Amino acid sequence: MREYAARMGVSVEVLASGSRGNSTIVQSSTTRLLVDAGISCRETFKRMKAAGSDPHSLSAILITHEHTDHVSGLLVLARKLKIPVFMTGATHQAWARAMRDADGERPQLDRLEFFSSGRGFRIGDIEVTPFTIPHDAVDPVGFTFRAEGIKIAIATDLGRLLANVKDNLRACDVLVIESNHDLEMLRNGPYPWSVKQRVGSPTGHLSNEKLAEFFATGYDGNASYIVLAHLSEQNNHPERALREAEKALSGRRTLWGNRVLLAAQTEPLQPIRF
Ligand SMILES: [Zn+2]
Ligand SMILES: [Zn+2]
């Protein structure tokens, strides 16, 4: 078993990405983390099993923020797997409040661990660093993960790339980053005005254009893989997001690697392995 585990190495697998549910597996040789639980337990199990991995081998669940598309499967998953759930205290409060039953009873998680943004911690052999992101939730975070010399960042649900976020995105091998909407499609799209405002606000979601600007000017070019994530189904096209990102990156001829992949809502992305 140990020998088998030793060959697994570090990998990232986006199980689902988008406004109908987000969930990603980050693993080292010995530790397997589920980042966000935004699809149902049943669907999470189904997608993991299809990829040949056993859901019961998960070590912990980490939550970025309390929006439904990041927590809808949390309670059932945590109860079924009996593994610790990590989130900030404020996110837990907001989640528990939203999950109250008819009698006002809040759901209990048997194994709950709190973390604070900016303070790193360890789960197994994975070093986790949560960092604050500008988004309209109570205490939203992105994460970096370090294990076996590989650094992975997950940053979605953020209206813009502030300096602290850019700092955390430095020297990554895998960058899972939001490319939510195309500005023109959002402007001309079907959403009511107030929703357009929210999505496009500095605490909303990152546009293809803002991401391209980062790739062209603020990005260190270190990643072997860039995963475009949390694409809007209404206000973006995968081809558009991909084209924008590749155009911005190709303007920087010094960059090696930086293969751009697209995370999807309805099917998992092929695991990225090291
Ligand atoms: Zn989201
Ligand atoms: Zn959100």
Side-chain angles (χ1 to χ4, degrees):
M1 182 64 202
R2 180 166 284 233
E3 211 174 301
Y4 167 72
R7 275 187 274 122
M8 291 197 315
V10 170
S11 72
V12 185
E13 183 181 7
V14 181
L15 291 180
S17 185
S19 58
R20 288 188 290 118
N22 297 274
S23 207
T24 299
I25 296 169
V26 173
Q27 71 173 53
S28 68
S29 300
T30 60
T31 306
R32 183 176 271 167
L33 308 178
L34 188 69
V35 184
D36 282 334
I39 51 176
S40 69
C41 177
R42 176 198 283 250
E43 190 63 23
T44 306
F45 277 30
K46 197 176 107 188
R47 293 188 186 198
M48 285 188 74
K49 283 175 183 161
S53 58
D54 175 11
H56 292 276
S57 67
L58 285 167
S59 321
I61 302 170
L62 288 89
I63 300 297
T64 57
H65 65 295
E66 74 277 16
H67 288 163
T68 314
D69 57 320
H70 298 259
V71 295
S72 63
L74 175 60
L75 195 55
V76 180
L77 271 164
R79 286 189 175 155
K80 203 160 261 185
L81 297 174
K82 300 180 172 53
I83 53 176
V85 176
F86 290 75
M87 52 181 142
T88 74
T91 297
H92 175 252
Q93 284 285 327
W95 171 78
R97 209 178 309 126
M99 292 288 292
R100 279 176 300 192
D101 64 18
D103 302 324
E105 214 48 55
R106 293 174 183 226
Q108 296 299 320
L109 292 170
D110 288 341
R111 301 175 65 187
L112 178 61
E113 304 275 346
F114 293 130
F115 62 77
S116 304
S117 182
R119 285 207 191 148
F121 57 96
R122 223 166 222 286
I123 305 175
D125 66 346
I126 302 182
E127 228 181 284
V128 183
T129 305
F131 56 91
T132 297
I133 52 171
H135 188 55
D136 50 8
V138 293
D139 190 15
V141 299
F143 290 112
T144 65
F145 303 92
R146 282 194 188 79
E148 298 167 41
I150 300 292
K151 181 180 176 188
I152 296 151
I154 299 182
T156 69
D157 300 73
L158 69 179
R160 59 205 153 133
L161 292 167
L162 297 175
N164 84 302
V165 175
K166 288 183 191 167
D167 282 349
N168 279 284
L169 301 187
R170 266 189 248 290
C172 284
D173 298 284
V174 181
L175 196 55
V176 179
I177 192 158
E178 175 159 53
S179 193
N180 180 261
H181 57 277
D182 173 272
L183 285 176
E184 196 185 301
M185 286 181 73
L186 177 66
R187 209 176 299 130
N188 302 325
Y191 283 4
W193 184 81
S194 60
V195 180
K196 289 182 185 182
Q197 282 291 106
R198 191 188 85 74
V199 170
S201 88
T203 55
H205 290 276
L206 202 68
S207 65
N208 298 345
E209 290 81 356
K210 279 188 197 154
L211 180 60
E213 188 190 311
F214 167 64
F215 284 149
T217 59
Y219 168 56
D220 68 1
N222 194 76
S224 304
Y225 296 92
I226 293 169
V227 180
L228 305 181
H230 217 301
L231 267 69
S232 166
E233 290 172 301
Q234 308 280 348
N235 306 308
N236 210 350
H237 280 308
E239 312 78 57
R240 267 200 197 217
L242 190 64
R243 200 182 334 122
E244 278 284 336
E246 284 183 334
K247 197 171 79 190
L249 290 162
S250 70
R252 299 186 55 193
R253 282 155 203 268
T254 50
L255 302 190
W256 291 84
N258 291 289
R259 214 176 131 206
V260 186
L261 308 172
L262 283 161
Q265 184 74 81
T266 50
E267 53 181 0
L269 187 63
Q270 278 287 324
I272 297 167
R273 297 184 200 280
F274 288 90

